Amino acid sequence: MVTFNSTSVVRAAIESVVNEELVSNIFIVDNASADNIYDVIDSFGSAKIKLIHNSHNLGFGVANNIALEQITTPYALLLNPDAVMGKGALDTLVKKSALYDQAGILSTAIFYENGHLQETYRRNFHQRKISEGNFLRADGDICAEFLSGAVLFFNMKIMKKVGFFDSNIFLFFEEDDLCLRTKNKGYELIYTPDAKAFHIDGGSSGSSEQLGFFRQYHMTWSYLYISGKYLGKGHAKFLSLEYFLKGWLKLIFYYASNKSNLACLQRAKIAACWDCLFNAKKRSSL
């Protein structure tokens, strides 16, 4: 698990796996949180839980890589701090991984706290449209093109060949990149509704205008980055310029309409486009 000011939700995530016989170690990689993650971990009194505390925020993918490099078991579960594994889900994933021996990554059906199924895209980042047919709907196991990063179950033998998360991506679209690389290496992604998890979407690090800017910046930057990686640098530059120019028009409109929150998010998009256009170093701190 990777945490960043996540103490309000991470306890439930830990509770959902700490007593599982299949779990030998739980690595918590904390990205320089301001809250007290130590107290939460100490309260469990479990030798299974290992805390790795980063002196500064390294981002989601890099922090996960730190833990993954220490895994010696055949499988690894990557669980968001705001996600909870359902009863028997881990055992199901282990059995499914043995059944589908060419699957590099598996994932569960994911539900909101209210019991409604969380929409999970069935296609990778550049083929998505917001429509009913673009989301996973399955009564049984299927091969997918994309799996949600909230719950990812790795076959470590395969994923060591594929490689872990791209260290250039600080936040957002890191699972898109990983799913694409897994498929491109000839391995499968399996979605199984026989295993269930529950997710408080976006609940892992709170909210504020500053954090909103930070998230929007990285969502835009990461999208442009993987667009360049898979669709060509020229395509990414064109998108950056298009978003940049349109962004200024939207920004003027939002300020004129006194919509400060939307203006903040638009400034984040413009900043990300600028940094991509001029190959500036991405911003990795609040």
Side-chain angles (χ1 to χ4, degrees):
M1 296 179 201
V2 174
T3 57
F4 178 69
N5 296 329
S6 307
T7 55
S8 63
V9 292
V10 71
R11 181 182 298 278
I14 297 172
E15 286 174 346
S16 73
V17 294
V18 68
N19 293 319
E20 291 276 0
E21 291 184 10
L22 292 168
V23 175
S24 56
N25 289 298
I26 300 173
F27 291 99
I28 309 290
V29 184
D30 184 72
N31 269 330
S33 294
D35 57 9
N36 199 337
I37 187 69
Y38 297 98
D39 287 348
V40 174
I41 291 173
D42 288 346
S43 69
F44 283 93
S46 174
K48 288 183 179 180
I49 306 174
K50 322 289 186 189
L51 176 65
I52 301 170
H53 183 77
N54 295 326
S55 59
H56 60 284
N57 193 343
L58 299 178
F60 179 80
V62 172
N64 267 306
N65 289 348
I66 291 172
L68 287 166
E69 292 293 346
Q70 301 191 45
I71 300 295
T72 58
T73 51
Y75 305 113
L77 173 69
L78 279 64
L79 185 66
N80 269 17
D82 56 356
V84 174
M85 294 296 286
K87 184 177 180 180
L90 190 58
D91 183 60
T92 298
L93 288 172
V94 170
K95 290 176 180 177
K96 298 286 186 178
S97 187
L99 179 63
Y100 305 114
D101 60 0
Q102 290 301 299
I105 312 174
L106 297 89
S107 190
T108 67
I110 302 173
F111 295 84
Y112 292 112
E113 287 182 294
N114 61 13
H116 292 162
L117 182 68
Q118 179 173 308
E119 303 287 16
T120 300
Y121 288 113
R122 65 182 303 135
R123 297 181 176 88
N124 56 46
F125 75 100
H126 62 280
Q127 296 176 315
R128 289 176 189 160
K129 294 180 180 178
I130 305 301
S131 63
E132 185 70 18
N134 195 35
F135 298 110
L136 283 174
R137 294 285 188 274
D139 296 324
D141 303 345
I142 61 170
C143 292
E145 294 182 31
F146 169 80
L147 297 172
S148 169
V151 182
L152 296 174
F153 187 78
F154 281 14
N155 179 322
M156 289 298 290
K157 182 178 180 180
I158 290 175
M159 294 314 293
K160 285 179 180 178
K161 296 176 184 176
V162 172
F164 300 139
F165 290 103
D166 184 335
S167 61
N168 290 311
I169 302 175
F170 184 86
L171 188 65
F172 295 115
F173 293 102
E174 55 276 287
E175 70 262 55
D176 293 80
D177 172 73
L178 190 62
C179 288
L180 279 165
R181 285 191 285 114
T182 302
K183 295 284 285 186
N184 289 343
K185 285 281 189 178
Y187 300 108
E188 296 298 335
L189 310 171
I190 299 293
Y191 171 88
T192 176
D194 293 341
K196 296 177 175 61
F198 301 87
H199 187 211
I200 307 170
D201 192 23
S204 61
S205 55
S207 62
S208 66
E209 184 174 295
Q210 185 183 27
L211 193 55
F213 180 98
F214 184 72
R215 286 172 171 161
Q216 186 61 64
Y217 172 88
H218 282 288
M219 183 176 290
T220 305
W221 190 96
S222 296
Y223 181 81
L224 294 170
Y225 170 77
I226 62 169
S227 294
K229 185 173 181 178
Y230 293 100
L231 303 177
K233 291 184 178 179
H235 178 80
K237 293 291 186 182
F238 176 81
L239 283 180
S240 299
L241 183 59
E242 180 185 11
Y243 294 167
F244 181 82
L245 295 175
K246 288 181 178 179
W248 276 106
L249 294 176
K250 290 181 180 180
L251 184 62
I252 293 169
F253 172 77
Y254 290 144
Y255 275 128
S257 305
N258 200 29
K259 297 179 179 179
S260 59
N261 288 341
L262 291 176
C264 175
L265 297 179
Q266 199 59 50
R267 286 192 292 106
K269 290 181 182 180
I270 291 170
C273 291
W274 176 270
D275 289 349
C276 286
L277 278 169
F278 296 100
N279 300 315
K281 184 178 181 181
K282 65 181 181 295
R283 308 169 194 202
S284 58
S285 61
L286 289 172

